[in-house]
Amino acid sequence: NEVKQERSAPQPINREDNRARIIQQLSEKLVGGVKLCKDKVVLDDPQKAFQWFKERYPGTSAVDENKIILKKKYSSAKSTGEKVNKARGSINYLKSTIEGLRRERAMERVVGGEGEGEE
C-alpha cells in the first residue's frame, strides 16, 4: 500500500515582497569584495562610481604597493639599460680601434714587403 502525499498548491508570489527580497539580497552582494552601491548620484557618474569603488576595495593597498615596486623596477631597468648602451658604445669603439690597428699593420707589411707569400 502506497501512501500518496498530498501536494499543497503553490502559494501565490507577492511581487512586492519578492522584489524587496531581491533588492535586499543584491544590496548585500559583494562585487570584487565591495558591497554594491545604492546611491544613484554615485552610480550616474562613472568617475564618482570608480572613486567610490576604489575607496572600498580591499586590494587598494596592494595595488598602491605594486605601483611603488613597479616604479622602482622601471627606474632600475632604465639605469641598467643606460649602462648597457654605454658599454655597447665602448665595445664598438674598441672594435673599430682594433680594426684600424690591424689595417695599419697590414698596410705596413704590404709597404714593407713582409706581406709577400704570406696568407
Side-chain angles (χ1 to χ4, degrees):
N1 293 337
E2 292 181 23
V3 177
K4 289 188 178 179
Q5 293 180 355
E6 288 185 31
R7 292 186 186 176
S8 60
Q11 296 294 323
I13 297 173
N14 182 334
R15 289 184 183 229
E16 284 302 313
D17 289 344
N18 193 36
R19 185 169 188 249
R21 185 178 49 80
I22 290 171
I23 290 172
Q24 179 63 30
Q25 287 173 345
L26 286 175
S27 69
E28 294 171 358
K29 188 174 183 177
L30 298 179
V31 176
V34 178
K35 282 190 176 183
L36 289 175
C37 177
K38 298 179 200 174
D39 187 351
K40 186 150 177 59
V41 174
V42 172
L43 295 175
D44 286 342
D45 182 359
Q47 287 181 331
K48 285 182 181 178
F50 182 64
Q51 187 63 34
W52 189 91
F53 177 80
K54 274 182 26 177
E55 289 170 358
R56 288 157 181 80
Y57 180 62
T60 300
S61 62
V63 170
D64 291 339
E65 289 173 14
N66 287 339
K67 282 182 185 178
I68 292 169
I69 292 168
L70 182 60
K71 284 181 183 180
K72 288 178 183 177
K73 287 185 177 189
Y74 178 80
S75 176
S76 175
K78 189 174 180 180
S79 173
T80 302
E82 289 170 356
K83 290 176 186 176
V84 167
N85 286 334
K86 188 175 180 180
R88 183 181 295 125
S90 295
I91 289 169
N92 288 335
Y93 170 77
L94 292 172
K95 282 169 64 175
S96 64
T97 302
I98 291 170
E99 284 182 33
L101 290 172
R102 286 181 179 161
R103 270 191 239 111
E104 284 180 26
R105 288 183 184 162
M107 292 297 286
E108 286 174 3
R109 279 189 242 136
V110 169
V111 172
E114 296 177 13
E116 296 175 19
E118 291 183 19
E119 281 198 29

